[in-house]
PDB file of all heavy atoms in Angstrom:
ATOM      1  N   GLU A  25       0.839  -1.191   0.000  1.00 75.00           N
ATOM      2  CA  GLU A  25       0.000   0.000   0.000  1.00 75.00           C
ATOM      3  C   GLU A  25       0.882   1.252   0.000  1.00 75.00           C
ATOM      4  O   GLU A  25       2.071   1.195   0.339  1.00 75.00           O
ATOM      5  CB  GLU A  25      -0.893   0.009   1.249  1.00 75.00           C
ATOM      6  CG  GLU A  25      -1.857  -1.178   1.331  1.00 75.00           C
ATOM      7  CD  GLU A  25      -2.921  -1.141   0.259  1.00 75.00           C
ATOM      8  OE1 GLU A  25      -3.238  -0.029  -0.218  1.00 75.00           O
ATOM      9  OE2 GLU A  25      -3.431  -2.224  -0.124  1.00 75.00           O
ATOM     10  N   ASP A  26       0.281   2.386  -0.373  1.00 73.00           N
ATOM     11  CA  ASP A  26       1.029   3.638  -0.478  1.00 73.00           C
ATOM     12  C   ASP A  26       1.789   3.980   0.801  1.00 73.00           C
ATOM     13  O   ASP A  26       2.917   4.488   0.746  1.00 73.00           O
ATOM     14  CB  ASP A  26       0.080   4.802  -0.821  1.00 73.00           C
ATOM     15  CG  ASP A  26      -0.380   4.749  -2.266  1.00 73.00           C
ATOM     16  OD1 ASP A  26       0.033   3.833  -2.983  1.00 73.00           O
ATOM     17  OD2 ASP A  26      -1.162   5.627  -2.669  1.00 73.00           O
ATOM     18  N   HIS A  27       1.155   3.735   1.951  1.00 73.00           N
ATOM     19  CA  HIS A  27       1.764   4.181   3.209  1.00 73.00           C
ATOM     20  C   HIS A  27       3.019   3.389   3.572  1.00 73.00           C
ATOM     21  O   HIS A  27       3.762   3.784   4.485  1.00 73.00           O
ATOM     22  CB  HIS A  27       0.745   4.104   4.361  1.00 73.00           C
ATOM     23  CG  HIS A  27       0.229   2.706   4.633  1.00 73.00           C
ATOM     24  ND1 HIS A  27      -0.884   2.201   4.004  1.00 73.00           N
ATOM     25  CD2 HIS A  27       0.681   1.730   5.461  1.00 73.00           C
ATOM     26  CE1 HIS A  27      -1.108   0.963   4.434  1.00 73.00           C
ATOM     27  NE2 HIS A  27      -0.175   0.664   5.317  1.00 73.00           N
ATOM     28  N   TRP A  28       3.288   2.280   2.875  1.00 78.00           N
ATOM     29  CA  TRP A  28       4.512   1.526   3.121  1.00 78.00           C
ATOM     30  C   TRP A  28       5.705   2.068   2.337  1.00 78.00           C
ATOM     31  O   TRP A  28       6.854   1.733   2.649  1.00 78.00           O
ATOM     32  CB  TRP A  28       4.312   0.046   2.763  1.00 78.00           C
ATOM     33  CG  TRP A  28       3.563  -0.717   3.803  1.00 78.00           C
ATOM     34  CD1 TRP A  28       2.267  -1.133   3.750  1.00 78.00           C
ATOM     35  CD2 TRP A  28       4.058  -1.146   5.069  1.00 78.00           C
ATOM     36  NE1 TRP A  28       1.914  -1.786   4.898  1.00 78.00           N
ATOM     37  CE2 TRP A  28       3.004  -1.809   5.734  1.00 78.00           C
ATOM     38  CE3 TRP A  28       5.303  -1.023   5.722  1.00 78.00           C
ATOM     39  CZ2 TRP A  28       3.148  -2.353   6.995  1.00 78.00           C
ATOM     40  CZ3 TRP A  28       5.443  -1.569   6.990  1.00 78.00           C
ATOM     41  CH2 TRP A  28       4.373  -2.225   7.606  1.00 78.00           C
ATOM     42  N   VAL A  29       5.442   2.891   1.337  1.00 78.00           N
ATOM     43  CA  VAL A  29       6.523   3.404   0.498  1.00 78.00           C
ATOM     44  C   VAL A  29       7.562   4.190   1.310  1.00 78.00           C
ATOM     45  O   VAL A  29       8.766   3.964   1.162  1.00 78.00           O
ATOM     46  CB  VAL A  29       5.968   4.255  -0.665  1.00 78.00           C
ATOM     47  CG1 VAL A  29       7.103   4.929  -1.443  1.00 78.00           C
ATOM     48  CG2 VAL A  29       5.136   3.382  -1.605  1.00 78.00           C
ATOM     49  N   PRO A  30       7.153   5.131   2.202  1.00 75.00           N
ATOM     50  CA  PRO A  30       8.174   5.839   2.997  1.00 75.00           C
ATOM     51  C   PRO A  30       9.023   4.913   3.854  1.00 75.00           C
ATOM     52  O   PRO A  30      10.198   5.191   4.100  1.00 75.00           O
ATOM     53  CB  PRO A  30       7.341   6.798   3.862  1.00 75.00           C
ATOM     54  CG  PRO A  30       6.066   6.983   3.117  1.00 75.00           C
ATOM     55  CD  PRO A  30       5.803   5.665   2.459  1.00 75.00           C
ATOM     56  N   VAL A  31       8.447   3.795   4.308  1.00 79.00           N
ATOM     57  CA  VAL A  31       9.194   2.848   5.144  1.00 79.00           C
ATOM     58  C   VAL A  31      10.322   2.199   4.339  1.00 79.00           C
ATOM     59  O   VAL A  31      11.469   2.098   4.807  1.00 79.00           O
ATOM     60  CB  VAL A  31       8.246   1.769   5.716  1.00 79.00           C
ATOM     61  CG1 VAL A  31       9.044   0.751   6.535  1.00 79.00           C
ATOM     62  CG2 VAL A  31       7.161   2.414   6.566  1.00 79.00           C
ATOM     63  N   ILE A  32      10.011   1.778   3.120  1.00 80.00           N
ATOM     64  CA  ILE A  32      11.035   1.165   2.275  1.00 80.00           C
ATOM     65  C   ILE A  32      12.063   2.207   1.849  1.00 80.00           C
ATOM     66  O   ILE A  32      13.271   1.906   1.746  1.00 80.00           O
ATOM     67  CB  ILE A  32      10.393   0.495   1.042  1.00 80.00           C
ATOM     68  CG1 ILE A  32       9.352  -0.549   1.486  1.00 80.00           C
ATOM     69  CG2 ILE A  32      11.454  -0.166   0.184  1.00 80.00           C
ATOM     70  CD1 ILE A  32       9.916  -1.675   2.326  1.00 80.00           C
ATOM     71  N   LEU A  33      11.605   3.441   1.614  1.00 75.00           N
ATOM     72  CA  LEU A  33      12.543   4.513   1.278  1.00 75.00           C
ATOM     73  C   LEU A  33      13.514   4.765   2.430  1.00 75.00           C
ATOM     74  O   LEU A  33      14.675   5.113   2.211  1.00 75.00           O
ATOM     75  CB  LEU A  33      11.785   5.800   0.944  1.00 75.00           C
ATOM     76  CG  LEU A  33      10.998   5.795  -0.371  1.00 75.00           C
ATOM     77  CD1 LEU A  33      10.240   7.110  -0.527  1.00 75.00           C
ATOM     78  CD2 LEU A  33      11.912   5.566  -1.559  1.00 75.00           C
ATOM     79  N   ALA A  34      13.033   4.599   3.660  1.00 78.00           N
ATOM     80  CA  ALA A  34      13.910   4.751   4.819  1.00 78.00           C
ATOM     81  C   ALA A  34      14.999   3.681   4.815  1.00 78.00           C
ATOM     82  O   ALA A  34      16.144   3.934   5.204  1.00 78.00           O
ATOM     83  CB  ALA A  34      13.101   4.690   6.115  1.00 78.00           C
ATOM     84  N   ALA A  35      14.658   2.471   4.349  1.00 84.00           N
ATOM     85  CA  ALA A  35      15.666   1.413   4.237  1.00 84.00           C
ATOM     86  C   ALA A  35      16.752   1.815   3.235  1.00 84.00           C
ATOM     87  O   ALA A  35      17.950   1.568   3.459  1.00 84.00           O
ATOM     88  CB  ALA A  35      15.010   0.108   3.798  1.00 84.00           C
ATOM     89  N   PHE A  36      16.350   2.433   2.144  1.00 83.00           N
ATOM     90  CA  PHE A  36      17.326   2.945   1.184  1.00 83.00           C
ATOM     91  C   PHE A  36      18.232   3.960   1.870  1.00 83.00           C
ATOM     92  O   PHE A  36      19.449   3.969   1.657  1.00 83.00           O
ATOM     93  CB  PHE A  36      16.603   3.592  -0.002  1.00 83.00           C
ATOM     94  CG  PHE A  36      17.520   4.119  -1.063  1.00 83.00           C
ATOM     95  CD1 PHE A  36      17.889   3.330  -2.141  1.00 83.00           C
ATOM     96  CD2 PHE A  36      18.020   5.409  -0.998  1.00 83.00           C
ATOM     97  CE1 PHE A  36      18.739   3.807  -3.121  1.00 83.00           C
ATOM     98  CE2 PHE A  36      18.871   5.902  -1.970  1.00 83.00           C
ATOM     99  CZ  PHE A  36      19.236   5.095  -3.041  1.00 83.00           C
ATOM    100  N   GLY A  37      17.646   4.814   2.703  1.00 79.00           N
ATOM    101  CA  GLY A  37      18.432   5.816   3.412  1.00 79.00           C
ATOM    102  C   GLY A  37      19.444   5.207   4.365  1.00 79.00           C
ATOM    103  O   GLY A  37      20.576   5.684   4.473  1.00 79.00           O
ATOM    104  N   VAL A  38      19.036   4.154   5.070  1.00 86.00           N
ATOM    105  CA  VAL A  38      19.978   3.459   5.963  1.00 86.00           C
ATOM    106  C   VAL A  38      21.152   2.913   5.161  1.00 86.00           C
ATOM    107  O   VAL A  38      22.327   3.060   5.535  1.00 86.00           O
ATOM    108  CB  VAL A  38      19.266   2.327   6.730  1.00 86.00           C
ATOM    109  CG1 VAL A  38      20.280   1.481   7.491  1.00 86.00           C
ATOM    110  CG2 VAL A  38      18.225   2.897   7.685  1.00 86.00           C
ATOM    111  N   GLY A  39      20.838   2.290   4.038  1.00 88.00           N
ATOM    112  CA  GLY A  39      21.896   1.766   3.186  1.00 88.00           C
ATOM    113  C   GLY A  39      22.812   2.851   2.668  1.00 88.00           C
ATOM    114  O   GLY A  39      24.035   2.666   2.587  1.00 88.00           O
ATOM    115  N   ALA A  40      22.228   4.008   2.331  1.00 84.00           N
ATOM    116  CA  ALA A  40      23.028   5.124   1.813  1.00 84.00           C
ATOM    117  C   ALA A  40      23.985   5.663   2.874  1.00 84.00           C
ATOM    118  O   ALA A  40      25.147   5.979   2.582  1.00 84.00           O
ATOM    119  CB  ALA A  40      22.115   6.230   1.303  1.00 84.00           C
ATOM    120  N   ILE A  41      23.514   5.782   4.113  1.00 83.00           N
ATOM    121  CA  ILE A  41      24.370   6.266   5.197  1.00 83.00           C
ATOM    122  C   ILE A  41      25.525   5.295   5.439  1.00 83.00           C
ATOM    123  O   ILE A  41      26.691   5.695   5.544  1.00 83.00           O
ATOM    124  CB  ILE A  41      23.553   6.469   6.484  1.00 83.00           C
ATOM    125  CG1 ILE A  41      22.615   7.672   6.324  1.00 83.00           C
ATOM    126  CG2 ILE A  41      24.468   6.672   7.694  1.00 83.00           C
ATOM    127  CD1 ILE A  41      21.694   7.894   7.496  1.00 83.00           C
ATOM    128  N   LEU A  42      25.202   4.000   5.509  1.00 88.00           N
ATOM    129  CA  LEU A  42      26.247   2.997   5.718  1.00 88.00           C
ATOM    130  C   LEU A  42      27.224   2.974   4.543  1.00 88.00           C
ATOM    131  O   LEU A  42      28.448   2.885   4.730  1.00 88.00           O
ATOM    132  CB  LEU A  42      25.609   1.616   5.904  1.00 88.00           C
ATOM    133  CG  LEU A  42      24.735   1.437   7.150  1.00 88.00           C
ATOM    134  CD1 LEU A  42      24.073   0.063   7.141  1.00 88.00           C
ATOM    135  CD2 LEU A  42      25.554   1.629   8.421  1.00 88.00           C
ATOM    136  N   GLY A  43      26.682   3.068   3.335  1.00 87.00           N
ATOM    137  CA  GLY A  43      27.540   3.063   2.154  1.00 87.00           C
ATOM    138  C   GLY A  43      28.434   4.284   2.088  1.00 87.00           C
ATOM    139  O   GLY A  43      29.611   4.184   1.724  1.00 87.00           O
ATOM    140  N   ASN A  44      27.904   5.445   2.439  1.00 82.00           N
ATOM    141  CA  ASN A  44      28.678   6.680   2.421  1.00 82.00           C
ATOM    142  C   ASN A  44      29.881   6.592   3.355  1.00 82.00           C
ATOM    143  O   ASN A  44      31.009   6.924   2.975  1.00 82.00           O
ATOM    144  CB  ASN A  44      27.776   7.850   2.816  1.00 82.00           C
ATOM    145  CG  ASN A  44      28.525   9.163   2.881  1.00 82.00           C
ATOM    146  OD1 ASN A  44      28.987   9.682   1.877  1.00 82.00           O
ATOM    147  ND2 ASN A  44      28.663   9.692   4.092  1.00 82.00           N
ATOM    148  N   MET A  45      29.647   6.127   4.576  1.00 82.00           N
ATOM    149  CA  MET A  45      30.741   6.002   5.533  1.00 82.00           C
ATOM    150  C   MET A  45      31.718   4.906   5.102  1.00 82.00           C
ATOM    151  O   MET A  45      32.942   5.059   5.234  1.00 82.00           O
ATOM    152  CB  MET A  45      30.186   5.696   6.930  1.00 82.00           C
ATOM    153  CG  MET A  45      29.255   6.775   7.474  1.00 82.00           C
ATOM    154  SD  MET A  45      29.998   8.438   7.477  1.00 82.00           S
ATOM    155  CE  MET A  45      31.309   8.222   8.682  1.00 82.00           C
ATOM    156  N   ALA A  46      31.187   3.807   4.550  1.00 85.00           N
ATOM    157  CA  ALA A  46      32.058   2.730   4.084  1.00 85.00           C
ATOM    158  C   ALA A  46      32.924   3.190   2.913  1.00 85.00           C
ATOM    159  O   ALA A  46      34.101   2.809   2.812  1.00 85.00           O
ATOM    160  CB  ALA A  46      31.223   1.513   3.669  1.00 85.00           C
ATOM    161  N   GLY A  47      32.361   4.020   2.041  1.00 84.00           N
ATOM    162  CA  GLY A  47      33.123   4.518   0.899  1.00 84.00           C
ATOM    163  C   GLY A  47      34.313   5.353   1.326  1.00 84.00           C
ATOM    164  O   GLY A  47      35.421   5.208   0.780  1.00 84.00           O
ATOM    165  N   GLY A  48      34.109   6.232   2.311  1.00 78.00           N
ATOM    166  CA  GLY A  48      35.222   7.017   2.831  1.00 78.00           C
ATOM    167  C   GLY A  48      36.271   6.145   3.489  1.00 78.00           C
ATOM    168  O   GLY A  48      37.483   6.350   3.290  1.00 78.00           O
TER     169      GLY A  48
END
């Protein structure tokens, strides 16, 4: 459902934060 989309987007954000720090 639509209301689950922000939750999955938050998972992308967690991955991005971890990836950003790992890249450095």
Side-chain angles (χ1 to χ4, degrees):
E25 298 293 334
D26 286 0
H27 61 270
W28 282 105
V29 173
V31 177
I32 303 299
L33 290 177
F36 181 92
V38 172
I41 290 176
L42 295 175
N44 177 67
M45 299 306 294

